[in-house]
Amino acid sequence: MADESQLARAGLFEARVPRYTSYPTAPQFSPTAVGAAEMRGWLSEIAPGSQISLYIHVPFCRRLCWFCACRTQGTTSDDPVVAYVDTLTAELALLRATLPEGVTLSRLHWGGGTPTLLPPASIARLTRAIFDVAPMAATGEFSVEIDPNEIDDARLDALAGAGMNRASIGVQDFDPLIQKTIGRDQSFEITESAANKLRARGIRSLNADILFGLPHQTDARISASIQQLLSLNPDRIALYGYAHVPWMARRQVMIPSDALPRPEERLELFETARDLLVWDGYEDIGIDHFARPEDRLAVAQKAGLLRRNFQGYTDDIAPVLVGLGASSISRFPQGYAQNAPGTSQYVKAVRGGNFATVRGHVFTGEDRLRARMIEALMCDFRIDADEICHSFGLTRAQLKEYFAPVSKEFGDMVRIDDSGLEIPVESRPLTRMVACLFDAYTVAAGSHSHAV
């Protein structure tokens, strides 16, 4: 890693830049650019017989964890969850009526919120409705985000019976003090039990999410949590930086800001966790993921096929991702389309027989070029000049014009030559900042998480 003073001079510890799970980023979406008509039109233009990805958003939680900035709502009853599945099935019917023939699913992912709030009967009903629209492809992957506090044998049986073959377990941190401070009580024993029960049902592919930069987190505490997580032997691990944005996620005001580590300490926490994961045999994947060498994510990285979408890193190369449910975002070759963020507005639109699309973005040629360069940096830490020039009809001189701001800002902390632009290992904490220099849109100051 570059010397901390070099990173400081480069502005790392003050930077607030996007995570670039899309380009343009969601704050740039417009309510006038994309609506239900565009959503319907883009769906109808999907090639018959092709593969697409499908994301289902379940915005409900039994408890609202204070650290979370996702769009969720609390419920103590199953009634609104069951009613929400009614709306999802209606939205799926709209999708079925619009999709061309022969489409199959390369990926199916349920996120939230807490998808495991769904009762077993609702799980079965929802999966029947999904597969009535499009079956899984032969090599398809069906993944679900699992809350170990909100799962039981009946729901696990329903998910396994529906074909789930990858599970993603939210951990965050195992330290009791940190859990109490972020409003997320979840013992190691409960988490271990969930992992064991998943594997007992034939679910061999397990992901786990853990956070760095949490209040009261120290090198010793994150080391202990990582070692406990390693004992569960997940196939891949996402090591996300906690983003303290109480002006966006109001529940975060419950978290004492004076207990948060300084930006320099955040970097140390990340490096401590990273060193432990690499020592245990995991491979670095992009800026914040780790995977066993045999995992599909690691294989995709070696083959140059790693991609980035709203769920983070993926080996899915399907050109279309359809998002269903309140606030979900779809990605098409033509642009992005986002559903109404509020559940009531979403339900009203779908129950009225319309797609709930309320905003989005139509790609320009410049968008596609910049999106690919940003994705290449986020996935591979390099922009290949041959690929970009061939794919977008640029000359080398034109490409160097795009590289010029990076050279000016970071100098010899990046490598630029005839083969392209590369971020060396020691400068990789700066990756999001480098990517930001390819972003042609204005990013509101303070609206994104720390770069570290």
Side-chain angles (χ1 to χ4, degrees):
M1 188 179 71
D3 182 84
E4 190 174 292
S5 62
Q6 286 182 289
L7 297 175
R9 286 194 297 272
L12 176 67
F13 301 124
E14 291 78 40
R16 292 182 180 271
V17 290
R19 297 184 189 277
Y20 289 114
T21 54
S22 72
Y23 179 80
T25 56
Q28 305 305 324
F29 295 176
S30 166
T32 60
V34 178
E38 285 76 16
M39 178 73 173
R40 192 180 299 274
W42 291 349
L43 285 168
S44 67
E45 292 171 20
I46 294 171
S50 62
Q51 291 187 7
I52 67 170
S53 298
L54 185 62
Y55 172 73
I56 306 291
H57 187 67
V58 181
F60 299 96
C61 291
R62 198 73 73 196
R63 55 179 180 169
L64 294 178
C65 303
W66 302 335
F67 74 90
C68 182
C70 297
R71 193 171 186 96
T72 59
Q73 59 194 83
T75 179
T76 57
S77 164
D78 285 348
D79 292 345
V81 182
V82 173
Y84 182 77
V85 172
D86 291 341
T87 308
L88 282 173
T89 57
E91 191 178 18
L92 283 160
L94 291 172
L95 181 61
R96 183 186 181 195
T98 311
L99 278 179
E101 292 293 322
V103 170
T104 58
L105 301 180
S106 63
R107 298 289 185 277
L108 170 61
H109 183 74
W110 294 8
T114 309
T116 49
L117 273 185
L118 270 62
S122 295
I123 291 171
R125 182 183 176 209
L126 181 56
T127 49
R128 283 197 302 270
I130 290 168
F131 297 138
D132 193 38
V133 173
M136 294 297 299
T139 58
E141 186 175 276
F142 175 10
S143 57
V144 177
E145 294 175 12
I146 305 289
D147 180 352
N149 285 305
E150 193 60 52
I151 195 67
D152 56 27
D153 287 338
R155 283 176 284 184
L156 284 169
D157 288 341
L159 287 169
M164 177 182 71
N165 53 15
R166 179 179 288 279
S168 182
I169 299 176
V171 172
Q172 321 323 331
D173 195 285
F174 286 121
D175 186 273
L177 173 62
I178 294 174
Q179 289 185 357
K180 182 179 180 181
T181 308
I182 65 174
R184 172 82 174 205
D185 291 326
Q186 179 180 314
S187 70
F188 172 76
E189 290 73 21
I190 287 175
T191 309
E192 182 182 40
S193 175
N196 290 339
K197 288 181 177 181
L198 285 161
R199 288 195 169 106
R201 287 164 173 80
I203 312 301
R204 297 300 172 198
S205 298
L206 294 184
N207 303 3
D209 296 345
I210 194 162
L211 295 176
F212 69 93
L214 291 171
H216 303 300
Q217 209 170 39
T218 63
D219 281 353
R221 284 182 169 139
I222 200 170
S223 295
S225 288
I226 290 289
Q227 287 166 349
Q228 285 180 291
L229 181 59
L230 289 173
S231 72
L232 303 180
N233 195 28
D235 299 88
R236 64 180 75 155
I237 294 170
L239 177 63
Y240 294 127
Y242 166 64
H244 191 61
V245 287
W247 56 89
M248 290 177 57
R250 297 182 65 180
R251 71 191 75 161
Q252 289 187 354
V253 299
M254 303 291 291
I255 294 177
S257 58
D258 59 356
L260 294 170
R262 294 180 297 106
E264 294 85 350
E265 292 170 334
R266 284 171 60 93
L267 181 58
E268 291 173 11
L269 290 167
F270 175 84
E271 291 296 329
T272 296
R274 178 195 175 277
D275 289 347
L276 286 169
L277 294 171
V278 172
W279 178 85
D280 202 63
Y282 287 84
E283 296 188 357
D284 275 308
I285 306 293
I287 63 169
D288 54 17
H289 278 52
F290 300 83
R292 292 294 187 194
E294 65 276 9
D295 184 83
R296 289 167 62 158
L297 215 55
V299 173
Q301 184 182 53
K302 292 185 183 74
L305 297 175
L306 190 65
R307 294 293 180 262
R308 192 155 172 83
N309 65 17
F310 297 107
Q311 284 78 59
Y313 289 104
T314 181
D315 63 327
D316 182 26
I317 58 173
V320 173
L321 167 65
V322 177
L324 302 184
S327 78
S328 281
I329 302 174
S330 299
R331 183 202 67 225
F332 297 90
Q334 300 92 331
Y336 294 115
Q338 184 172 20
N339 278 353
T343 305
S344 60
Q345 186 185 2
Y346 158 74
V347 169
K348 182 180 179 181
V350 174
R351 295 296 179 87
N354 297 309
F355 286 106
T357 315
V358 295
R359 61 198 293 262
H361 181 87
V362 179
F363 291 146
T364 66
E366 178 86 350
D367 287 335
R368 294 184 180 94
L369 166 62
R370 291 180 180 275
R372 178 57 198 142
M373 291 194 290
I374 288 172
E375 183 181 52
L377 287 171
M378 297 295 288
C379 292
D380 305 318
F381 304 107
R382 69 183 304 268
I383 297 172
D384 183 271
D386 287 341
E387 178 209 337
I388 296 298
C389 290
H390 174 76
S391 298
F392 295 94
L394 295 183
T395 65
R396 296 301 177 105
Q398 289 172 322
L399 183 59
K400 284 186 177 181
E401 291 179 13
Y402 287 98
F403 291 170
V406 179
S407 179
K408 180 180 179 181
E409 184 75 17
F410 295 108
D412 59 6
M413 296 187 78
V414 298
R415 287 196 287 266
I416 300 175
D417 55 29
D418 288 343
S419 68
L421 184 153
E422 183 175 2
I423 305 173
V425 173
E426 61 272 16
S427 298
R428 287 181 182 174
L430 301 170
T431 298
R432 284 162 55 192
M433 294 178 65
V434 175
C436 194
L437 292 177
F438 291 91
D439 188 337
Y441 297 89
T442 301
V443 179
S447 65
H448 293 284
S449 61
H450 283 289
V452 178

